[in-house]
Structure formats: structure tokens, C-alpha cells
């Protein structure tokens, strides 16, 4: 027999009344402030939407639609139980779709965080999974705006495949990926899609790629008026456009040696919980970052982008391939200090690994922020993440990195943070950076992520997660941005975005 019923007089059964989660006192107080005779009418609900929920455009018709959508006895309004139910329904989302794109989209691309994928063609792990256009399509439908393709000669060296080089991944034809991008690029957002190419081609195949790209995208393809611009164009001016970003071509070194990945056993095996959820984020109290692993990663030595003067031509390059590049990538010769130097006459994209960023953030935090004010910084996962796990995106964001590249086919809390971040601004894939990351002070000073700032206000927030359960966490407000101190492991999309972008209102 069901545990929800009980026997009466041995001949019939009655059903227990299931206990419903009771509204907390704060919710009761809120309800009674906007109700009459224990009923919230459409008029009072509309006032609640405008005054409390800050939905200034909400109408009485909108309020009535909410009441009608909740199946309950009172059709003329909401009682306390149905009001509490409404607060946790899909009708009351953390970020309302009706808000749409509301950030200023007329600024240079460098002023935005951009929803970025890493090895976008992989269906699973980084070592042996299949390459396909399906994960590319899935990413675009979610709103991802940066797609990465690793392009290699096929087995017969007469065409171009996409695959993770020097691994057991099965290839997919480049043309198939390009066609998938063309068909689905703007399913979720009309703002530009950037294709980052990791090029391992000979000049004749580069020319073939140029022809493929031009024929596939046609007028959708953005071609800059100057080879290397002084400032990036805006997302608004690039609506419905495809942008190619890669390093300028150089002769393909067929016999280039790839160093064997070092034995990672000294780091210890991750626990089952870490495998499923990802490691806890490093401490970032008062802008400091503690790193337990400072060993040089294989990709630090064997980079996705070789050190190269990005504006020098090479004798065997394909000029038609070079002309496709709208966002030039590459590293000047020297170490990371040289890479981060700002050229007032041109802008570029720099790619570094998550470990390179962590190490640079310790001593070069302000230099990274200054670089990202005009240039684009892309951060990619370390090579030992063969299970397609991800890292802490907040470190890149708090230093102004626009393209924090993630394995979208991965799992765990870092990926949830990434998806939550880009629910903001209508889910268009572009989130405007806070002003302190793109502007300088009166003495040309920039934001210092490690600065210890005096506490101005400590705000305690209660986040109700549903059915009477709720969690507390606190946010300590400084003169400049400092990440929140979480009491729990819970993140909430709307509040998360406000914390990251510095727009949380006290």
C-alpha cells in the first residue's frame, strides 16, 4: 500500500495531506505587503513586479497571465501558497528573457567577455573521442560565440581535416564544420561568431582553406579594411558576421616534434568527488590567488601559438589565406612580459594557458589588465585535462580576459559558472566588462586585482533555492572589485553575473 494513505475502520483508506514547504517569514511579510484579505490581485501583483522585481514594463495583463499560469483555486489572485510557488516557477527566472540585450554593444570587442569554446569539435575526451560537427552545433545553439578548429592535412595530404593533432581522435572534414557554423551561427544570437583556427597546414592547403571559407560564408565573412587595425570593431557593427582569427601563416613544419606529456602522477589522483565536480576554486580573498601547483605545463613550452612576429610575411605563405584574418593572433619574441606589451598602433589576440595566466597573475596582474583594455586575451585549458574538464574562469575574468576558452562538452562547477555568466545580456554571448577593467585613472593607473582595499560594506544575502531550502552567503564590498566570500558551494546565475561584472547594487 502507498505510504501516502492510511486505513480507516479496516474497510476504507484515506490519503494523508502532503506537507507543503512553508513560506519563510520574509516571504510572508512580502506577500502581506502586496495583498488584501490574503489575496494578491492582478493589480497588486503588477505593483509587486514593478517595485520589487524591478520589471518596470510589467502590465496588469502580465500579472493576470502569471495568475492564470498557476493552477490553483483562486482565479482572481494569488494566495500565499500560490505566491510562494510562483517565486520558484519558470515564470520567475533569475534573468528575465524579456530583458534581452541591454548592454552597450557599440564598444570595441576588447570591452566584452565572450562565450568561448575550446576544441569545439570534440565529442568527449581530448585523447580518443570522435571529432564531429555536432558539438559545434550544440555550442552555437547555446550561444557560444567563439569556435575553435584545429586544421590538419588529411591522410592523403590533398584536403583539410579537423582533429586534435597527435592524438587518437577521429577526424571530421573541415568543410562539414564550416557548413555547420554557417547554418547555426545565429540560431541563439545575432552577434558575431569568431572562428579561431589552429593552423598546421602547408601553403597550398592554406589556399584551399581560404577558398572553402570564402565560398561557404560569402558576404557573412568579415574582411577588415586594414590588415592590422588600431582598434577592434564593435559587436553591434558585426551583427550576422563571421570573423576569422589565427596567427599569420608560415611554412608548415611537417616534422615538428611534439614533446611527450610529462608524468602527472606526482600531483596525486583526484578523489571521486573531484572527478565528478572539479576541484574547489583557489582562494581569492582580497584579490590574492594561492597556487599549489606551479610546475610548468607541457603547453607552456609547446604552445598553441608559437612565438612569432605577427605582422611579418613569410615567403611561402598563401596571401589569400592571410587576407581572411580579421583578428591577428601570435606572440612577440621573448617571455610573457614582452607578450603583454601594448602597441598603440595595432591590436591583436594573445593566447596563454590557464597555468601561464595563474603564474603571470602573481606578479603581472596590472600588466594583464592593461593589455586587455585594447587587445584580446584568450586563455585555454592545460593539456593534462584529457577528460575535458575545466578550470576557474573567474581568474581570467577578473584580469579582463575576453576569451576564457572552455571544453563545452565537459562537466562540473566551472562549466556551470561559464553557462551562468553568459545567461546575462539576453544570452547573446557577449557581456560588457565593468568600466574599471577598460578605463584608466587620472594618472593612467589601471585596476590592480591584488590590491588590498578597505572594506566599505558587508552585505549578507539570502538566496532561496526552492521548496523552503535556502542558503546564506556574504559579499564584502570594496572600493574596487573583490570576489565574493561564499559560505556555501552554491552559485546563482543572476547574482554571479553581478559579482563578476561589478554591477551588484548595495
Amino acid at each position: 500500500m502507498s505510504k501516502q494513505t492510511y486505513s480507516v475502520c479496516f474497510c476504507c483508506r484515506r490519503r494523508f495531506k502532503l506537507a507543503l514547504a512553508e513560506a519563510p517569514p520574509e516571504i510572508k511579510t512580502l506577500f502581506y505587503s502586496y495583498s488584501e484579505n490574503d489575496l494578491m490581485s492582478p493589480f497588486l501583483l503588477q505593483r509587486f513586479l514593478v517595485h520589487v522585481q524591478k520589471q518596470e514594463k510589467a502590465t496588469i495583463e502580465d500579472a493576470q497571465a502569471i495568475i492564470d499560469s498557476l493552477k490553483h483555486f483562486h482565479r482572481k489572485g494569488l494566495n500565499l501558497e500560490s505566491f510562494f510557488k510562483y517565486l520558484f516557477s519558470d515564470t520567475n527566472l533569475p534573468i528575465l528573457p524579456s530583458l534581452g540585450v541591454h548592454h552597450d554593444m557599440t564598444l570595441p570587442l576588447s570591452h566584452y567577455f565572450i562565450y568561448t569554446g575550446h576544441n569545439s569539435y570534440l565529442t568527449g575526451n581530448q585523447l580518443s573521442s570522435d571529432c564531429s560537427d555536432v558539438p559545434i552545433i550544440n555550442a552555437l545553439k547555446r550561444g557560444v560565440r567563439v569556435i575553435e578548429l584545429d586544421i590538419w592535412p588529411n591522410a592523403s595530404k590533398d584536403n583539410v581535416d579537423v582533429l586534435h593533432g597527435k592524438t587518437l581522435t577521429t577526424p571530421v572534414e573541415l568543410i562539414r564544420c564550416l557548413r555547420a557554423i554557417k547554418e547555426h551561427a545565429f540560431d541563439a544570437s545575432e552577434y558575431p561568431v569568431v572562428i579561431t583556427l589552429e593552423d598546421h597546414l602547408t601553403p597550398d592547403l592554406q589556399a584551399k582553406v581560404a577558398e572553402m571559407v570564402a565560398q561557404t560564408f560569402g558576404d557573412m565573412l568579415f574582411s577588415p579594411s586594414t590588415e592590422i587595425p588600431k582598434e577592434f570593431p564593435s559587436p553591434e557593427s558585426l551583427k550576422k558576421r563571421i570573423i576569422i582569427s589565427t596567427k599569420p601563416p608560415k611554412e608548415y613544419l611537417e616534422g615538428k616534434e611534439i614533446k611527450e606529456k610529462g608524468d602527472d602522477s606526482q600531483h596525486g589522483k583526484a578523489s571521486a568527488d573531484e572527478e565528478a565536480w572539479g576541484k574547489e576554486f583557489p582562494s581569492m580573498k582580497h584579490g590574492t590567488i594561492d597556487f599549489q601547483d606551479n610546475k610548468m605545463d607541457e603547453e607552456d613550452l609547446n604552445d598553441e601559438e608559437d612565438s612569432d612576429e605577427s605582422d611579418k610575411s613569410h615567403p611561402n605563405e598563401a596571401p589569400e589565406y592571410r587576407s581572411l584574418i580579421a583578428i591577428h593572433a601570435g606572440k612577440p619574441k621573448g617571455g610573457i612580459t614582452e607578450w603583454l606589451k601594448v602597441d598603440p598602433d595595432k591590436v591583436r589576440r594573445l593566447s596563454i594557458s590557464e597555468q601561464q595566466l595563474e603564474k603571470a597573475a602573481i606578479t603581472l596582474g596590472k600588466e594583464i589588465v592593461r593589455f586587455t583594455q585594447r587587445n584580446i586575451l584568450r586563455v585555454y585549458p592545460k593539456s593534462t585535462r584529457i577528460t575535458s574538464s575545466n578550470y576557474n574562469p573567474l581568474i581570467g575574468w577578473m584580469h579582463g580576459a575576453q576569451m576564457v576558452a572552455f571544453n563545452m562538452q565537459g562537466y562540473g562547477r566551472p562549466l556551470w559558472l561559464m553557462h551562468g555568466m553568459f545567461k546575462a545580456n539576453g544570452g547573446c554571448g557577449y557581456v560588457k566588462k565593468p568600466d574599471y577593467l577598460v578605463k584608466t585613472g587620472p594618472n593612467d593607473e589601471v585596476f590592480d586585482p591584488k590590491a588590498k582595499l578597505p572594506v566599505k560594506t558587508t552585505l549578507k544575502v539570502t538566496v532561496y533555492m526552492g521548496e523552503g531550502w535556502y542558503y546564506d552567503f556574504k559579499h564584502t564590498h570594496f572600493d574596487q572589485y573583490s570576489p565574493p566570500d561564499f559560505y556555501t558551494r552554491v552559485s546563482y546565475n543572476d547574482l554571479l553575473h553581478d559579482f563578476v561584472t561589478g554591477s551588484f547594487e548595495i
Side-chain angles (χ1 to χ4, degrees):
M1 285 294 182
S2 170
K3 293 182 180 180
Q4 297 179 6
T5 63
Y6 61 96
S7 177
V8 178
C9 298
F10 303 102
C11 60
C12 61
R13 301 194 66 82
R14 287 188 177 180
R15 184 179 298 274
F16 286 110
K17 182 179 180 181
L18 297 179
L20 297 175
E22 184 179 358
E26 297 89 341
I27 302 300
K28 291 181 179 180
T29 301
L30 190 62
F31 173 77
Y32 291 126
S33 299
Y34 288 89
S35 63
E36 292 179 353
N37 300 320
D38 294 339
L39 199 66
M40 185 180 288
S41 66
F43 172 74
L44 293 172
L45 178 56
Q46 187 261 349
R47 286 183 56 195
F48 167 79
L49 295 174
V50 172
H51 297 155
V52 179
Q53 303 292 74
K54 304 301 180 184
Q55 297 174 227
E56 288 82 1
K57 297 181 180 179
T59 64
I60 292 180
E61 288 74 18
D62 295 331
Q64 185 64 57
I66 292 172
I67 294 171
D68 294 341
S69 69
L70 298 169
K71 296 179 179 179
H72 61 104
F73 180 75
H74 300 283
R75 296 296 180 183
K76 294 184 178 180
L78 300 178
N79 58 16
L80 176 59
E81 181 183 320
S82 57
F83 174 69
F84 191 43
K85 181 180 179 181
Y86 153 69
L87 292 179
F88 293 106
S89 71
D90 290 340
T91 310
N92 184 39
L93 295 173
I95 302 177
L96 292 174
S98 59
L99 188 60
V101 177
H102 56 281
H103 295 178
D104 182 359
M105 303 300 285
T106 63
L107 303 171
L109 288 173
S110 57
H111 286 227
Y112 301 87
F113 299 120
I114 310 174
Y115 207 177
T116 302
H118 173 257
N119 290 350
S120 306
Y121 48 87
L122 288 179
T123 56
N125 68 66
Q126 302 287 309
L127 186 62
S128 60
S129 65
D130 293 335
C131 301
S132 171
D133 59 340
V134 173
I136 296 173
I137 294 170
N138 292 339
L140 291 170
K141 286 184 175 180
R142 186 180 278 276
V144 173
R145 297 292 86 190
V146 182
I147 299 295
E148 182 188 20
L149 302 177
D150 291 7
I151 49 178
W152 295 78
N154 67 355
S156 58
K157 302 192 184 303
D158 60 356
N159 210 332
V160 181
D161 282 341
V162 173
L163 75 154
H164 196 196
K166 309 300 181 181
T167 67
L168 302 177
T169 55
T170 57
V172 60
E173 289 185 343
L174 172 62
I175 189 62
R176 183 172 172 180
C177 296
L178 296 179
R179 287 170 179 165
I181 293 171
K182 179 183 180 180
E183 184 175 351
H184 298 282
F186 307 110
D187 284 359
S189 170
E190 61 182 349
Y191 287 95
V193 168
V194 180
I195 303 175
T196 60
L197 298 176
E198 189 176 326
D199 172 13
H200 306 273
L201 302 178
T202 55
D204 59 323
L205 288 179
Q206 289 173 349
K208 189 162 189 172
V209 169
E211 183 180 1
M212 282 187 201
V213 170
Q215 290 182 356
T216 301
F217 297 117
D219 293 339
M220 296 170 63
L221 188 64
F222 172 70
S223 299
S225 56
T226 57
E227 184 177 345
I228 304 179
K230 290 186 176 182
E231 184 177 68
F232 290 118
S234 70
E236 187 69 27
S237 68
L238 294 171
K239 279 184 176 180
K240 301 280 189 178
R241 305 301 289 272
I242 303 292
I243 302 170
I244 302 298
S245 178
T246 186
K247 59 189 176 187
K250 62 182 179 180
E251 187 172 3
Y252 172 65
L253 301 178
E254 186 174 31
K256 181 179 178 181
E257 294 182 358
I258 304 296
K259 293 189 177 182
E260 295 294 326
K261 293 180 175 63
D263 184 4
D264 200 45
S265 60
Q266 67 270 27
H267 300 296
K269 291 186 178 180
S271 68
D273 184 64
E274 287 177 352
E275 285 295 324
W277 294 90
K279 291 185 178 180
E280 290 291 345
F281 296 149
S283 171
M284 295 194 297
K285 287 185 179 182
H286 308 301
T288 63
I289 305 172
D290 297 328
F291 300 105
Q292 297 178 351
D293 177 18
N294 284 324
K295 293 182 180 296
M296 183 68 75
D297 186 68
E298 180 266 340
E299 280 191 270
D300 290 353
L301 297 172
N302 187 24
D303 241 326
E304 288 191 358
E305 289 174 5
D306 299 319
S307 298
D308 188 23
E309 291 293 341
S310 62
D311 58 346
K312 287 186 178 180
S313 298
H314 297 273
N316 295 323
E317 71 176 31
E320 58 269 53
Y321 181 80
R322 187 184 183 92
S323 66
L324 293 177
I325 305 172
I327 299 178
H328 285 239
K331 296 183 175 78
K333 292 180 179 178
I336 194 165
T337 303
E338 294 297 318
W339 302 347
L340 293 171
K341 285 186 176 179
V342 176
D343 188 330
D345 295 322
K346 63 181 180 181
V347 290
R348 58 189 170 93
R349 172 173 69 82
L350 171 67
S351 285
I352 59 175
S353 71
E354 58 172 289
Q355 288 186 316
Q356 286 174 319
L357 173 66
E358 291 172 356
K359 294 161 192 170
I362 297 173
T363 56
L364 298 172
K366 290 192 290 185
E367 286 78 2
I368 299 172
V369 172
R370 189 178 296 277
F371 178 84
T372 58
Q373 288 181 337
R374 295 185 62 243
N375 301 279
I376 290 176
L377 178 62
R378 173 179 170 268
V379 183
Y380 56 88
K382 60 184 180 182
S383 62
T384 52
R385 294 190 180 276
I386 60 174
T387 60
S388 295
S389 62
N390 289 296
Y391 50 99
N392 180 7
L394 295 176
I395 300 173
W397 289 336
M398 70 187 291
H399 287 83
Q402 297 86 350
M403 296 182 179
V404 178
F406 261 36
N407 296 308
M408 295 298 168
Q409 79 280 22
Y411 57 88
R413 286 171 293 188
L415 189 58
W416 298 347
L417 289 178
M418 176 67 67
H419 291 332
M421 172 69 162
F422 288 98
K423 291 286 187 182
N425 199 26
C428 74
Y430 289 82
V431 174
K432 183 180 176 295
K433 296 199 290 187
D435 287 344
Y436 60 79
L437 284 176
V438 295
K439 293 183 179 180
T440 57
N443 298 317
D444 198 38
E445 69 271 16
V446 298
F447 168 69
D448 183 1
K450 293 184 67 176
K452 294 184 178 181
L453 303 167
V455 176
K456 291 178 63 179
T457 307
T458 298
L459 177 68
K460 185 174 181 180
V461 180
T462 300
V463 179
Y464 295 89
M465 304 301 292
E467 295 301 321
W469 293 92
Y470 59 91
Y471 298 86
D472 290 339
F473 61 89
K474 70 176 181 178
H475 172 62
T476 304
H477 182 63
F478 296 88
D479 289 327
Q480 290 177 297
Y481 168 74
S482 179
D485 249 337
F486 283 93
Y487 282 149
T488 73
R489 298 179 179 181
V490 175
S491 63
Y492 202 50
N493 289 348
D494 195 16
L495 296 176
L496 169 66
H497 166 256
D498 289 341
F499 283 136
V500 172
T501 60
S503 58
F504 194 93
E505 294 182 1
I506 301 296

